[in-house]
Structure formats: structure tokens, C-alpha cells
Amino acid sequence: GIQVEQSPPDLILQEGANSTLRCNFSDSVNNLQWFHQNPWGQLINLFYIPSGTKQNGRLSATTVATERYSLLYISSSQTTDSGVYFCAVGYTGTASKLTFGTGTRLQVTL
Amino acid sequence: EPEVTQTPSHQVTQMGQEVILRCVPISNHLYFYWYRQILGQKVEFLVSFYNNEISEKSEIFDDQFSVERPDGSNFTLKIRSTKLEDSAMYFCASSEGYSSNYGYTFGSGTRLTVV
């Protein structure tokens, strides 16, 4: 099946710093989403971004489908950004499921 | 913004008991899913459901599990004879259309603890 790798696995930032999270996938995809799992375990949908670039406030994401990677940018990080960030992909071979990466655990400190 | 609602948020059950996890998908969505996340691990696909039948399931989704859409709004996951290793966060999700071309909306999850 498709492989989804995320880096770095862990990241510690001071409040106000910027960061880039990466998601590599092993096959062509037609669905890619970024999620934030907060400390209470809730999965919050950040972006649906199978290709191109999107921005939402301090967050933005870029997917280069032909090169099989996606990037999530967090600018001016805040303590509320802490949690785990997951990339999840869907691809033509199995239409109805998302395959999640192992996540990047982000801790933002004061 | 429309939400996927899951109940209960937490459930503790004794090993061997049956549990039913409930979900109310977004009203105009046609595709429904269950995922689970064992503590500290990644989120795993269990099953997808469309037009009142299972469209895809993973190897995790064995005879112990079943799904149902008992009415026009609810979508349930039943786990028969729970085992300790069924302890996990269970997420329901829905999408408007054919899932590879549409974003998913996830519920807040049900944390199941089997003791």
C-alpha cells in the first residue's frame, strides 16, 4: 500500500517562531489533507489540498503532487498550535480510504 | 460550520461486552467512515459506507465489528465481545462525494476503554 512519511517526528518551538512540516508519499494521490490533533484528541481538518497552495491565517500548505510531497507552514506559532499534525492521503488504487502518516508532534513553549 | 457529532465522548466497558458507538454525519454527506487510533499511534482506516452498504473495509474490520445506518441521520459502529486491544479513540467521518476527490470531516471521537 501507499507509504506516508512525515518529518520531523518531533518539534519544539518557542512562541513566535516559524516552522515547516513535511509529508512525503509513495504514490500518486488525488486526496491530501492536513489535520491537527489537539491535546484532547480531536482531529481538526486544516486543509484539503491534493495540489497547489492554500492559506488560512497563520497556516499555509503546498502540495507538489508530481514530486509526491506536501508542506505545512506555521508562522508566528502560538502555544495553542501544540499537538500532533497528520498528513493523510487518498489515491486512485483505493478510492474510499485515507492513509495517515505517523504525524509530527509539535510543542510550542513560552 | 457543519459538524460530525459523535457520542459518547468516553466509554468504559468490561471485556466481553458489546458497545455501540454513534455518529451523526453532516446531513448532505453521502459517504461515511470509521477510523481508530490506538494511543500514541497513527490513525487507521476501519470501514467506509455508502448507499447502505460497506464499500471498503480494512483487515482490522473483522467479524467482531459491524456498521449500520439505522435511520436517516445516525451511523453506528458496533463492537461485539470487546477485547482489551480494542481500547482506542474511534473517529467517525463523512464526505460529500467520492472520497478521493472530496475532503473528509471528522468527528471529535469516542475514547473507548476496555477493562
Side-chain angles (χ1 to χ4, degrees), chain A residues 1 3 7 13 23 25 28 31 34 40 45 47 50 52 55 61 74 83 90:
Chain A
Q3 304 298 313
S7 60
L13 297 175
C23 172
F25 41 94
S28 298
N31 185 352
W34 283 96
W40 296 272
N45 185 19
F47 293 102
Q55 180 156 7
I74 305 174

Side-chain angles (χ1 to χ4, degrees), chain A residues 2-71:
Chain A
I2 193 168
Q3 304 298 313
V4 184
E5 296 180 355
Q6 292 186 242
S7 60
D10 295 280
L11 187 58
I12 300 176
L13 297 175
Q14 273 202 319
E15 198 172 41
N18 302 327
S19 62
T20 301
L21 282 57
R22 186 176 180 102
C23 172
N24 292 330
F25 41 94
S26 61
D27 206 340
S28 298
V29 300
N30 48 18
N31 185 352
L32 189 146
Q33 292 184 245
W34 283 96
F35 296 92
H36 174 217
Q37 186 166 41
N38 64 22
W40 296 272
Q42 297 173 319
L43 275 175
I44 311 299
N45 185 19
L46 298 176
F47 293 102
Y48 167 68
I49 186 165
S51 64
T53 298
K54 290 186 178 179
Q55 180 156 7
N56 184 3
R58 296 181 295 104
L59 302 181
S60 63
T62 295
T63 298
V64 184
T66 54
E67 297 187 21
R68 300 183 184 173
Y69 73 88
S70 183
L71 302 174

